Amino acid sequence: MQQPLQISSEFIEKHTDFLELTRALQEGFANKKMLVPKRHHHDFPNPITQKDTTLLLMPAWNPGNEAGVKVVTVNPGNDKFDLPSIQGSYLYLDAKTGVLKAIMDAKNLTAKRTAAASALASSFLSRENTETMLMIGTGALSVNLIRAHAAVRPIKKVFIWGRNQAKAEVLCQELSQDSFEICSVSSVAACIGDVDLVSCATLSETPLVLGEDLVHGQHIDLVGAYKPNMRESDDETIRRTSVFLDTRESGLKESGDIAIPLKHGLLKESDIIADLFDLCSEAVPGRTSENEITLFKSVGHALEDLIAASYYYSKL
């Protein structure tokens, strides 16, 4: 029996074109034949770090063609071991035979597809002349989010803020050869009102994006805060923005950015304008005015994993 191919993080890094990947995701979200069952989400205690570990099982099928499942753990305490918080593998299958075709590094696959999904949303929700960006967070997603957004909008200047400014400086150095100017900032408030796009990817339990600081025409991209008790934006942000999700099923309950306003009655399910399925099928328009402040909340979806796995498998 033929052994499954191994697709490494390095291969994924080398063969990523964010514009290509974003377009592949757009086609995937518009494809009504894809089947995505509810993902398994389990939290269990980690007595060493004193922070719960989350186990995610995310399957998806394109009947008669391909299938896959991602097995991932999210470990917020992994900085103690100098390891990324996300660990896991993606199993890519032939849907006709069930044969395992490839095993892929899930951490980088997740980072790339997550960033591409945010860029996809931005292509519908941010202004076409978006030139400036604030990146809140210095984790593994940050570089990918910046490059993905720059693939769909003419980004000329990027600001980076993180709790550890030394990490922000390292990211500036890593991106110094890209097509945009980049620098670190000492506070979010110092520049959030001066940018067209705000992307936030943190594990924060308290809001970092404050509605009182937002200005007309901005697009807010919230990628972190994956648990109901985590929150990257405050109530005023929700009040002032047009809210969009990656998917309604997961987005309404998995993150505190949406779940908490829903619980308190600040936001109703009917207030959610659209998700990526709606946008990509052209059932609902995205941004409708230059002054509108749009907000996209992403919690991740197994469809994104399968499309990304197919994309990287095609690069072999």
Side-chain angles (χ1 to χ4, degrees), residues 91 122 133 149 273 307 309:
L91 309 181
S122 179
M133 174 180 179
H149 280 295
I273 296 173
I307 296 300

PDB file of all heavy atoms in Angstrom, residues 91 122 133 149 273 307 309:
ATOM      1  N   LEU A  91      -5.196  15.465   7.830  1.00  0.00           N
ATOM      2  CA  LEU A  91      -5.245  14.212   7.092  1.00  0.00           C
ATOM      3  C   LEU A  91      -6.081  14.432   5.838  1.00  0.00           C
ATOM      4  O   LEU A  91      -7.281  14.694   5.917  1.00  0.00           O
ATOM      5  CB  LEU A  91      -5.862  13.112   7.958  1.00  0.00           C
ATOM      6  CG  LEU A  91      -5.259  12.925   9.356  1.00  0.00           C
ATOM      7  CD1 LEU A  91      -5.952  11.783  10.085  1.00  0.00           C
ATOM      8  CD2 LEU A  91      -3.760  12.691   9.289  1.00  0.00           C
ATOM      9  N   SER A 122     -12.013  40.760   3.581  1.00  0.00           N
ATOM     10  CA  SER A 122     -11.601  42.135   3.312  1.00  0.00           C
ATOM     11  C   SER A 122     -11.905  42.539   1.876  1.00  0.00           C
ATOM     12  O   SER A 122     -12.252  43.693   1.605  1.00  0.00           O
ATOM     13  CB  SER A 122     -10.104  42.299   3.587  1.00  0.00           C
ATOM     14  OG  SER A 122      -9.676  43.612   3.325  1.00  0.00           O
ATOM     15  N   MET A 133      -2.703  49.854   7.648  1.00  0.00           N
ATOM     16  CA  MET A 133      -3.155  48.708   8.450  1.00  0.00           C
ATOM     17  C   MET A 133      -2.483  48.715   9.814  1.00  0.00           C
ATOM     18  O   MET A 133      -1.293  49.009   9.932  1.00  0.00           O
ATOM     19  CB  MET A 133      -2.814  47.411   7.708  1.00  0.00           C
ATOM     20  CG  MET A 133      -3.083  46.135   8.486  1.00  0.00           C
ATOM     21  SD  MET A 133      -2.647  44.670   7.504  1.00  0.00           S
ATOM     22  CE  MET A 133      -3.040  43.370   8.697  1.00  0.00           C
ATOM     23  N   HIS A 149      -3.621  40.309   3.645  1.00  0.00           N
ATOM     24  CA  HIS A 149      -4.363  41.552   3.392  1.00  0.00           C
ATOM     25  C   HIS A 149      -3.690  42.377   2.290  1.00  0.00           C
ATOM     26  O   HIS A 149      -4.368  42.988   1.456  1.00  0.00           O
ATOM     27  CB  HIS A 149      -4.480  42.364   4.673  1.00  0.00           C
ATOM     28  CG  HIS A 149      -5.553  41.889   5.606  1.00  0.00           C
ATOM     29  ND1 HIS A 149      -6.891  41.938   5.278  1.00  0.00           N
ATOM     30  CD2 HIS A 149      -5.497  41.355   6.860  1.00  0.00           C
ATOM     31  CE1 HIS A 149      -7.615  41.462   6.275  1.00  0.00           C
ATOM     32  NE2 HIS A 149      -6.799  41.100   7.245  1.00  0.00           N
ATOM     33  N   ILE A 273     -25.131  40.497   9.378  1.00  0.00           N
ATOM     34  CA  ILE A 273     -25.520  40.785   7.994  1.00  0.00           C
ATOM     35  C   ILE A 273     -25.284  39.593   7.076  1.00  0.00           C
ATOM     36  O   ILE A 273     -26.143  39.254   6.256  1.00  0.00           O
ATOM     37  CB  ILE A 273     -24.765  42.024   7.481  1.00  0.00           C
ATOM     38  CG1 ILE A 273     -25.183  43.252   8.305  1.00  0.00           C
ATOM     39  CG2 ILE A 273     -25.042  42.250   5.992  1.00  0.00           C
ATOM     40  CD1 ILE A 273     -24.398  44.492   8.002  1.00  0.00           C
ATOM     41  N   ILE A 307     -10.067  23.153   1.492  1.00  0.00           N
ATOM     42  CA  ILE A 307      -9.680  23.906   0.302  1.00  0.00           C
ATOM     43  C   ILE A 307      -8.175  24.169   0.314  1.00  0.00           C
ATOM     44  O   ILE A 307      -7.486  24.030  -0.710  1.00  0.00           O
ATOM     45  CB  ILE A 307     -10.455  25.234   0.222  1.00  0.00           C
ATOM     46  CG1 ILE A 307     -11.956  24.970   0.053  1.00  0.00           C
ATOM     47  CG2 ILE A 307      -9.930  26.094  -0.919  1.00  0.00           C
ATOM     48  CD1 ILE A 307     -12.313  24.201  -1.189  1.00  0.00           C
ATOM     49  N   ALA A 309      -5.867  22.412   1.904  1.00  0.00           N
ATOM     50  CA  ALA A 309      -5.165  21.133   1.722  1.00  0.00           C
ATOM     51  C   ALA A 309      -5.127  20.756   0.246  1.00  0.00           C
ATOM     52  O   ALA A 309      -4.088  20.312  -0.275  1.00  0.00           O
ATOM     53  CB  ALA A 309      -5.849  20.044   2.535  1.00  0.00           C
TER      54      ALA A 309
END
